[in-house]
Amino acid sequence: MRLARPIVFGNWKMNGLRADGLALAGALAQRAVRLSGTLGIFPPFTILHAVAQRVCETGILVGGQDCHEKSFGAYTGSISAPMLVDAGAKAVILGHSERRHGLGETDALVRAKLLAARAAGLLVVLCVGETEEERLAGVHEERLWAQLDGSLPEGIGPEGLVVAYEPVWAIGTGRTPTSADIVATHAAVRRMLARRVVGGDAIPILYGGSVKPDNAAEIMACAGVDGVLVGGASLDAAAFWSIYQAGGGA
Ligand code: PGA
């Protein structure tokens, strides 16, 4: 299945009590009558089912922000890929920097989760990104290759896979790379995917990190950017919708 462009995904992170989350989902559902692109929201697990029900008559995709690498068992506090599917999720974010850096998730763990998510039929949004030190040292491409190579299972196909390039230093900081840097890095990620995955040319590449209504058009006009992964600005329906429209979505 080819995802229609622009692809605009909103990661709510640890935000959204039931009332706020349902109001936000409802406000998006009102706008998303017939979508020309791909719009997705990733609420916290606690309201995923309710949000999925709220938007089920629209084309809005609902996903989880993480999943465990096993399907069932004695893993207290964890949520598995089949559980996400059961709650109405169609997608999952894996390898977000707040999990890699904040919780110490390794490429090997992300790879195991990715296999579990694909086995459950979830669309995977695999996040990769360099730190500021790596960017300043000019080793960001090596870092991205290491993350992609380590997180992608051997023999994986391009189906059901989206890659989000999210420089760690741009997440939640209000700072973004220049357009020239975004174009260059997306081209590098594109080459890496073509080298690592048979048919990897078909994998959409999103940019993430401080995408806002006022920079979304410029970012999504960059060559090689198929869409964006939005954090903070996805918590406001009008802002999130205007980002989607800035990418040509209707
Ligand atoms: P931000 O987060 O838009 O708040 O920078 C992006 C992300 O973490 O995906």
Side-chain angles (χ1 to χ4, degrees):
M1 177 186 71
R2 186 181 189 276
L3 298 175
R5 284 15 174 211
I7 302 167
V8 176
F9 288 163
N11 173 10
W12 293 5
K13 307 192 179 182
M14 199 173 70
N15 296 292
L17 298 180
R18 194 178 168 87
D20 310 334
L22 288 179
L24 176 52
L28 290 171
Q30 270 179 356
R31 290 170 169 86
V33 183
R34 216 182 303 125
L35 292 169
S36 65
T38 307
L39 197 66
I41 49 180
F42 296 75
F45 296 136
T46 46
I47 57 170
L48 198 151
H49 183 249
V51 166
Q53 287 206 312
R54 185 67 192 76
V55 302
C56 67
E57 312 231 304
T58 73
I60 299 174
L61 201 104
V62 177
Q65 299 172 14
D66 180 51
C67 70
H68 196 270
E69 68 276 22
K70 295 283 197 311
S71 296
F72 300 102
Y75 303 99
T76 303
S78 298
I79 303 281
S80 72
M83 288 172 178
L84 288 181
V85 172
D86 195 40
K90 298 272 187 285
V92 66
I93 295 172
L94 294 177
H96 191 278
S97 108
E98 285 151 16
R99 299 198 65 91
R100 289 180 185 270
H101 297 276
L103 299 169
E105 288 198 2
T106 61
D107 292 330
L109 179 60
V110 174
R111 185 173 61 230
K113 292 181 174 196
L114 201 154
L115 280 172
R118 289 300 302 126
L122 290 167
L123 173 78
V124 171
V125 184
L126 170 64
C127 302
V128 293
E130 83 281 359
T131 63
E132 182 153 39
E133 293 71 43
E134 289 160 347
R135 167 63 67 168
L136 291 172
V139 296
H140 50 285
E141 291 194 12
E142 285 85 338
R143 186 76 199 108
L144 295 171
W145 168 253
Q147 286 181 336
L148 284 172
D149 192 37
S151 306
L152 289 167
E154 289 309 321
I156 185 115
E159 310 80 29
L161 194 57
V162 171
V163 167
Y165 165 58
E166 299 203 295
V168 178
W169 51 274
I171 295 175
T173 60
R175 296 165 57 208
T176 53
T178 62
S179 292
D181 281 343
I182 292 177
V183 171
T185 311
H186 274 244
V189 171
R190 168 64 61 223
R191 287 193 300 276
M192 294 173 202
L193 289 174
R195 175 175 158 201
R196 186 61 174 69
V197 178
V198 177
D201 264 355
I203 299 172
I205 306 175
L206 312 184
Y207 167 80
S210 295
V211 177
K212 307 286 175 210
D214 60 1
N215 62 18
E218 186 179 339
I219 289 172
M220 279 190 273
C222 289
V225 174
D226 296 303
V228 288
L229 178 56
V230 185
S234 72
L235 296 173
D236 180 297
F240 188 55
W241 185 255
S242 85
I243 290 171
Y244 173 70
Q245 286 182 312

